Every structure is written in structure tokens, then in C-alpha cells.
Amino acid sequence: MDIESQTGHPRRWTILGVLVVSLLVVVLDNTVLNVALRTIADPVHGLGATQSELEWAINSYTLVFAGLLFTAGVLGDRYGRRATLLVGLVLFGLASLVSAYAQDPAQLIAARALMGIGGAAVLPATLSIISNVFDPRERARAIGVWAGAVGLAVAIGPVVGGLLLERYWWGSVFLINVPIVAAGVVAALLIVPESRDPKPGRVDVVGVLLSIAGLVALVYGVVNGGDHGFGRPQAWGPILVGVAILAAFVAYERRIPYPSLDVRLFANPRFSAAVASVGLVFFAAMGSMFFTAFYLQLVRGYSPLESGLLMVPFAVAQLVFAPRSAALVRRYGSRAVMVGGTALTMAGLGAFGFVAVDTPAWVIAALAFVQGVGMANVMPPATESIMASLPREKAGVGSAVGNTIRQVGGALGVAVLGSVLSATYRSGMAPHVTRLPVPARDAAQESVSGGYAVAARLGAAGRTLVDHVNDAFVHAMHYSAVGAAVIALAGLVVVFVWLPRHGAGPAPLVADETPEDRELAEVV
């Protein structure tokens, strides 16, 4: 084994800095659009987008992102991780430019889908490169920084968006990506080394296509169900098709000698429990962020910037605790740390079941901090468990699986908890809109933003309707918060029951790896 394989790349921490910047701009875009929704809906200063169009502007990115993550990881392992990173960054930057100057909602939705392709190429490549340039003894700490960057990007997205909207037009939330991407491309060319699987097999074209088709159909059905209800064939039809295709994918991967995903890996409890915990925690967290955004900007009347600032404690918690989680894992074991982190996340989410129309802002900030601390002690050990369960040359597969499950979990959370929110809100508003004309009644029951729009047209009588809208939404939010807490509890049970205390089932040795190296790799 050469010296670099024992100590890591000599510029590994500089490389990590480049990767974190590349990751920030991609993950940040998951949340930066939320604060601009009201502006984009404005027919004068925006695009006049309807609520459904706004939802698809968010969901088109998530749909493509989740559907292509696994494929991007596999292709990166074969054709080069740096090359995949560069292609993704360039495509993401160009799509951001198109999004900023979109002339109608359809153009914005299409451009956001292109951004999803670029993002899907960037995210798994960053984690794969980290696994290849860092020695196993430092890898957990590097992954902690990586995970902290993910949490930071999720939290600062609304802040950055709010600051831009205070001074510029709505397209600035996309245009800001372009110079950052350009700097990332230059830095990656100069600093980041190329790496790939040293013994690549045949590309599993059928498996790749099946994974794309299955994930896209599944996520599309969930998103459609969240928008319009799950009782319609347009929702459950694609979900059933997606499940069937994914079942066919698993069956096919078990039979071929060169699978893109060796499904036998899921027999390893460390791998499967860590993957499941990531999906369940993000299901709960992303679903809660969805209803929190509406609560802050509509019910409480905070500006986009003020709403974003209330999420800063989440970012602070990620920055402080995620890099330190590796030390806790070495001392207490990954299971204990993940159980504690999941419990904190569940407590923060469940507490929203007690938030009222007039709850002090500091309480919301405190709950964001608790959630941040919890997730900071879930994501790094879970990610390290996933990566340590695989040989180093299959790093792209591991990162793609973990990130795909995270994105699918987030999409499911927004769709399912969003549908709970909508159904409960409509039920709560029904007794209060019976005397309104049919168009106004439908608009007020459709969403909290629709209720506010109808109230604005009613003059003095609208104040009473606003009170009903707020009460109905907060009541619906309580139901969604309980749902999020239950999902987080399921994640806690998975970790406690199936994740080994200090790791089990190490991956096969790579060509130049000794049992002693494997022992060093088992840091969690």
C-alpha cells in the first residue's frame, strides 16, 4: 500500500473546502425558492404563477434530483468522479441562469428540472471524492463537515433568499448560483484529483433505466397525491407502477453478475439500518419545514428575511455539533449517538403540536435549534455507517443510495405531511365558508394563501375570516407535526433494534487494503 492510501491525499482538507462550496450551492437551492414563492406568484412583479405551478416549481427539482442520484453515482464510479462533478456544476449553473430569466411558470418548472439533473451529478460525487482522498482515520470527521454543510445549506437558503428579495427581483435567488458555480468549476479543475473504480465492470444499462423509471414514477405519484389527494388514479397509479418497477429492479440486480447495486448489501444490518434512518429522519424533517414556511410567512406575517433568520439556530446547531459527532461515536458507538439524535429530532418536531397562533418567536427558534442538534447527530454517523459498509472503490454506490433515500424521504415527507395539512385545513375551514360564493369558498378552502386572498377582498368582514384561516391552519399543522414525530419515532426504533452497537459486517477488502486498514475504517 502506498503512503497516500495510508495518510490520505496531501491536499485533502483543501479539496474538502472545494467540495463543500460545490455542495452548498446545490443543497441550498432546495430551500432558497420557498421564500420567493409569494413574489413569483405576483402577476406584476413575478410570473403570476398559480399555487399548483409553484408546487411543481419546487417538486420538479426534487423529482429529477431523486430519480437520477443513484445513476449519477454509478456513472461517476465508472467514468470519473471529478468529471461527473464538473459536468453537474456546469449544467446546474446554466439551468440557474435560465431559471432567473424564465418568462412564464412553465419555463421555470422546466429549468428547475434541469437544475435537478446537475444537482444529482454533484451531490454523490462530493461524498465519493471525500471517501477516496481521506484516510479512514479522518474520514468520519470529514463526513461530519460534509453533513454540517448539508444542514447549513438547508438552513441558510431562506436567509439568502430573503436578503436578495429585499433588494432585487425574484430571479436573483437563482442568479446568485452562477458566480459560485464558476468559482467551483475552476477550483475543482485545479485542486480536485480524478478517481474512479479501478476495475470497472460492464455498465448495467437495464438496471440504471429501471432505477430511474421506478424512482421517478414513485416520487411523481407521491407528489401528485400531495397536490390533489391520494384517492385518485393519477396518484396511486404511478405509485403502484413505481413499486412494481423497483421490485423488478431488485429481482434483476440479484440475477446478473455485474449489478449497479448489489442488493445483498441490505443483508448487512449496519448498511440497511443506516439507510432507513436517513430516509425516515428526512421524511419527518422536510415535511415539517414545508408547513413551518407557511406558518411563519402567512399565519405570523413575517417577511421572507425574518422567516429565514428564525431558521439560523438550525444552521448554528449543524455547524457546531455535526463535526463533533465523530468523537461522540468513537466514545459511545454509532447506535447510541443516532438514538439520541433521533430522539432530539422527534422532540423538536413533536413540539410543533403545541405551537399556537401567538407563540413567541424565540420558541420557534429554540425548536429549530433542537432539531438542528438532533439531525447533526444522525446524519454524520449514518452516512459513515453507509460508506464504511462498502469497499472504497464502490463509494459512488454508497453515496448514491444514501442520498437517493434522503431525497425520496424528503419528497415523501412534503407530499404525505402536506396532504395531511391540506385535508385537515379544508375540513377545519368548511363550517366557516358556507355563505361565501362558490369560487371564493373553493379558494378559501384550498389553501391558507387562498384564504388570505379571499379575506383581502371582503374588506372589514375579512378580519373574521383571517382568524378562521389561522386557526384552521394551526390545527392542521398540529396533525402534521404529530405525523412527523411518529415518523421520527419509527427511525429511532429502526436504529435501536437493527443498527449494531459498534458496527458489523465490514465490506469486502479492496485490492490494496489489509485487515488492519479495515479495522481502522471501522471508526463507528
Side-chain angles (χ1 to χ4, degrees), residues 20 23-32 123 142-160 281-282 285-286 289 308 311-323 368-369 371-380 383 403 406-407:
V20 164
L23 180 69
L24 276 173
V25 70
V26 171
V27 180
L28 181 146
D29 204 75
N30 278 308
T31 56
V32 71
L123 198 148
I143 289 177
V145 174
W146 178 92
V150 173
L152 174 65
V154 169
I156 68 174
V159 178
V160 173
V281 167
F282 264 82
M286 296 308 292
M289 288 180 182
M311 293 296 104
V312 167
F314 182 95
V316 172
Q318 291 282 317
L319 284 173
V320 172
F321 291 95
F369 182 81
Q371 290 182 45
V373 174
M375 294 188 68
N377 286 286
V378 172
M379 295 307 299
T383 303
N403 286 302
R406 182 170 64 84
Q407 289 295 319

Side-chain angles (χ1 to χ4, degrees), residues 51-216:
Q51 180 170 325
S52 177
E53 289 169 335
L54 291 175
E55 290 172 352
W56 277 109
I58 296 174
N59 293 333
S60 62
Y61 180 86
T62 303
L63 181 68
V64 176
F65 197 97
L68 294 179
L69 267 174
F70 176 75
T71 303
V74 172
L75 295 178
D77 278 348
R78 179 172 178 81
Y79 297 110
R81 287 128 187 179
R82 186 181 71 164
T84 303
L85 173 67
L86 291 170
V87 170
L89 283 173
V90 170
L91 183 56
F92 190 87
L94 292 174
S96 297
L97 189 62
V98 175
S99 296
Y101 293 101
Q103 300 299 305
D104 57 56
Q107 289 182 15
L108 179 61
I109 292 169
R112 289 275 296 169
L114 290 175
M115 291 175 72
I117 298 175
V122 169
L123 198 148
T126 60
L127 190 54
S128 300
I129 293 169
I130 288 172
S131 294
N132 278 273
V133 301
F134 279 90
D135 178 82
R137 290 167 293 189
E138 293 182 317
R139 187 174 59 196
R141 187 152 58 103
I143 289 177
V145 174
W146 178 92
V150 173
L152 174 65
V154 169
I156 68 174
V159 178
V160 173
L163 286 170
L164 290 170
L165 291 172
E166 291 276 321
R167 295 177 174 270
Y168 307 107
W169 96 113
W170 64 268
S172 62
V173 300
F174 300 111
L175 198 62
I176 189 66
N177 295 337
V178 178
I180 301 175
V181 165
V185 168
V186 173
L189 285 170
L190 295 175
I191 298 172
V192 177
E194 184 61 281
S195 64
R196 55 176 59 86
D197 189 333
K199 297 180 180 179
R202 294 169 55 189
V203 176
D204 177 18
V205 177
V206 174
V208 167
L209 293 177
L210 284 174
S211 68
I212 293 174
L215 286 171
V216 168

Side-chain angles (χ1 to χ4, degrees), residues 191-521:
I191 298 172
V192 177
E194 184 61 281
S195 64
R196 55 176 59 86
D197 189 333
K199 297 180 180 179
R202 294 169 55 189
V203 176
D204 177 18
V205 177
V206 174
V208 167
L209 293 177
L210 284 174
S211 68
I212 293 174
L215 286 171
V216 168
L218 177 63
V219 176
Y220 174 82
V222 171
V223 168
N224 190 281
D227 288 344
H228 306 293
F230 287 93
R232 304 161 60 254
Q234 293 91 330
W236 53 259
I239 291 175
L240 292 178
V241 170
V243 170
I245 294 175
L246 290 176
F249 167 74
V250 171
Y252 179 78
E253 297 295 283
R254 289 174 62 90
R255 292 171 41 221
I256 63 174
Y258 49 91
S260 56
L261 172 63
D262 186 353
V263 295
R264 292 170 296 182
L265 292 172
F266 287 93
N268 183 333
R270 184 181 190 187
F271 180 86
S272 55
V275 168
S277 69
V278 168
L280 290 168
V281 167
F282 264 82
F283 183 110
M286 296 308 292
S288 70
M289 288 180 182
F290 177 77
F291 64 69
T292 301
F294 283 98
Y295 170 78
L296 293 175
Q297 292 196 44
L298 292 172
V299 175
R300 300 304 299 270
Y302 293 124
S303 70
L305 179 57
E306 291 170 334
S307 300
L309 290 174
L310 284 173
M311 293 296 104
V312 167
F314 182 95
V316 172
Q318 291 282 317
L319 284 173
V320 172
F321 291 95
R324 290 167 171 76
S325 63
L328 292 176
V329 167
R330 284 192 295 270
R331 183 170 182 179
Y332 301 107
S334 38
R335 185 174 70 175
V337 174
M338 290 178 64
V339 165
T342 307
L344 280 176
T345 304
M346 180 180 67
L349 295 171
F352 268 95
F354 302 95
V355 169
V357 175
D358 56 354
T359 296
W362 70 264
V363 174
I364 308 301
L367 294 180
F369 182 81
V370 171
Q371 290 182 45
V373 174
M375 294 188 68
N377 286 286
V378 172
M379 295 307 299
T383 303
E384 169 63 11
S385 291
I386 292 169
M387 302 304 289
S389 299
L390 299 175
R392 188 178 298 184
E393 74 270 18
K394 297 297 183 183
V397 174
S399 64
V401 171
N403 286 302
T404 297
I405 295 298
R406 182 170 64 84
Q407 289 295 319
V408 171
L412 287 168
V414 171
V416 174
L417 296 180
S419 67
V420 171
L421 188 78
S422 298
T424 310
Y425 171 81
R426 286 194 296 268
S427 176
M429 283 298 295
H432 306 295
V433 295
T434 54
R435 297 184 180 181
L436 293 176
V438 174
R441 183 175 66 218
D442 292 343
Q445 279 191 273
E446 180 187 4
S447 66
V448 62
S449 56
Y452 270 81
V454 171
R457 295 196 297 268
L458 294 179
R463 183 63 254 175
T464 301
L465 182 61
V466 166
D467 291 338
H468 292 314
V469 167
N470 288 342
D471 290 340
F473 181 84
V474 170
H475 180 66
M477 184 178 72
H478 292 167
Y479 274 84
S480 294
V482 170
V486 169
I487 295 299
L489 176 61
L492 189 153
V493 171
V494 166
V495 171
F496 185 79
V497 174
W498 285 287
L499 189 71
R501 185 181 300 274
H502 292 288
L509 298 175
V510 298
D512 62 346
E513 192 170 33
T514 68
E516 289 76 17
D517 295 322
R518 171 55 65 192
E519 185 177 351
L520 288 173

